[in-house]
Amino acid sequence: MKSIMEAYDVRYSYPGTQAEALQGLTMSLPEGKKTAICGHNGSGKSTLFLHAVGIHRPASGRMHWKGAPMSYRADDLKKLRQQVGLVFQDPEQQLILSTPYEDISYGLRNAGVPEHEMIRRIQHILGTMGLEHLANTPIHHLSLGQKKRVALAGVMVLEPELLLLDEPTAYLDRSSEQRLVEELDRIHAQGTTVVMATHDMNLAYAWADWVLVMDKGKCLLEGTPFEVFEQEDLILSLGLEPPLLLQVWSSLPEHVRAESFPPRSMAELKELMKQL
Ligand SMILES: Nc1ncnc2c1ncn2[C@@H]1O[C@H](COP(=O)(O)OP(=O)(O)O)[C@@H](O)[C@H]1O
Ligand SMILES: [Mg+2]
């Protein structure tokens, strides 16, 4: 499996703290996949993302982008950030201008995209994200879910090759979460590598095709969702909740499980239940 970004034995402490936020983190993000990075609060997911866009720099160890060590020169970082887009957990940290239209144009203008191309891309992304009617609404009038979509649009419009989302569904209601996941799947289908940090194991299991589990600034586990989450004891010992669908599946009679695959959705589970 080809990877697009790697961390090798990365150590990092925040200024003024003793404990290391990353404690020798080694991991790789597979190119073209949908990866979920799981881990409870404080396991280092956000710190990893900040390394991925070069906002933080390893105290020791290395980050690689497309097989080469990351360069921290200002012009290289600018280039990197056009290829790697990070959507922060809190949209307030991301949205700086007063309307969605202005905010989404900002990154494009910064990247030196010509005016006519800029207008074309903004119209397209507003449509994709269902934000046309909100384009000129003051951002402080938007709901949190709408702000999250604006923040995502502002990153997506730059057409990154690697899209990183930090807890994108935190504080979203079910229908906003559903819509966000559909948008991510559409983006992924267009060829973008998508990586989401989450502590929602149900979402990670249902959505991802590759899963990393972090704990105490390290990557402890990686694999397909089933490979990772079938290690129930380990998952529990890390303070994580095994996905509900798998919990139900593992309580089904042996003969049903022997002849089926673990369900990835409620609909698949219901099909299995019919065989009981
Ligand atoms: N700005 C900060 N200053 C000091 N310590 C921080 C800061 N941000 C995160 N940390 C610490 O770094 C560790 C990893 O945090 P973080 O990367 O935010 O984890 P996660 O995103 O998995 O919740 C935690 O121990 C956290 O307290
Ligand atoms: Mg975090």
Side-chain angles (χ1 to χ4, degrees):
M1 210 160 33
K2 195 175 170 208
S3 74
I4 192 163
M5 183 171 275
E6 287 128 25
Y8 293 105
D9 200 17
V10 170
R11 293 183 178 274
Y12 179 82
S13 313
Y14 284 92
T17 62
Q18 293 290 323
E20 285 180 323
L22 299 180
Q23 307 189 20
L25 171 68
T26 296
M27 62 96 224
S28 68
L29 301 175
E31 184 167 1
K33 295 225 181 265
K34 297 191 287 183
T35 297
I37 302 184
C38 301
H40 59 69
N41 280 332
S43 57
K45 305 180 296 294
S46 299
T47 306
L48 164 61
F49 279 176
L50 294 169
H51 279 75
V53 290
I55 291 176
H56 293 331
R57 191 174 171 163
S60 70
R62 272 171 302 130
M63 295 295 297
H64 277 205
W65 166 242
K66 290 190 165 179
M70 245 184 219
S71 157
Y72 295 88
R73 289 172 33 159
D75 51 341
D76 289 332
L77 281 180
K78 189 174 171 194
K79 231 179 285 165
L80 177 77
R81 287 172 195 163
Q82 282 166 19
Q83 298 173 300
V84 183
L86 171 59
V87 183
F88 289 81
Q89 173 171 348
D90 177 6
E92 310 285 351
Q93 271 183 288
Q94 192 124 27
L95 303 175
I96 38 188
L97 294 179
S98 53
T99 67
Y101 194 95
E102 289 170 24
D103 203 89
I104 295 167
S105 356
Y106 177 79
L108 289 168
R109 196 163 282 131
N110 249 355
V113 174
E115 189 76 17
H116 63 280
E117 167 71 5
M118 214 170 89
I119 292 169
R120 189 192 66 76
R121 284 214 222 164
I122 294 171
Q123 291 308 341
H124 177 79
I125 203 76
L126 287 172
T128 309
M129 299 298 192
L131 290 167
E132 288 132 318
H133 62 298
L134 298 171
N136 299 307
T137 306
I139 282 183
H140 66 270
H141 287 180
L142 302 183
S143 71
L144 191 57
Q146 289 167 336
K147 285 181 189 168
K148 284 210 150 205
R149 291 203 334 263
V150 175
L152 182 64
V155 174
M156 275 317 302
V157 78
L158 302 173
E159 298 177 358
E161 293 174 51
L162 172 59
L163 176 63
L164 306 169
L165 304 116
D166 201 349
E167 308 274 1
T169 60
Y171 320 121
L172 291 192
D173 58 38
R174 281 291 295 164
S175 68
S176 308
E177 174 178 321
Q178 198 72 39
R179 209 159 38 218
L180 181 76
V181 164
E182 281 164 18
E183 281 157 10
L184 294 181
D185 286 350
R186 191 160 49 229
I187 289 161
H188 173 254
Q190 288 162 6
T192 304
T193 301
V194 184
V195 180
M196 170 196 298
T198 183
H199 51 242
D200 182 341
M201 301 305 123
N202 292 316
L203 176 64
Y205 173 73
W207 173 79
D209 39 38
W210 195 250
V211 175
L212 307 183
V213 179
M214 288 186 65
D215 187 58
K216 299 194 184 75
K218 282 201 183 88
C219 176
L220 288 195
L221 266 180
E222 64 174 329
T224 63
F226 185 68
E227 283 166 356
V228 165
F229 290 118
E230 75 173 340
Q231 304 193 49
E232 197 176 330
D233 292 345
L234 182 55
I235 295 295
L236 284 169
S237 75
L238 298 175
L240 302 173
E241 176 97 4
L244 276 173
L245 286 171
L246 271 190
Q247 291 189 48
V248 176
W249 190 70
S250 62
S251 69
L252 294 180
E254 184 67 46
H255 72 273
V256 175
R257 279 184 291 147
E259 285 165 26
S260 61
F261 293 106
R264 292 288 294 279
S265 65
M266 194 50 95
E268 286 179 22
L269 178 63
K270 282 181 180 161
E271 271 311 305
L272 278 180
M273 301 296 252
K274 285 184 191 157
Q275 298 172 31
L276 291 180

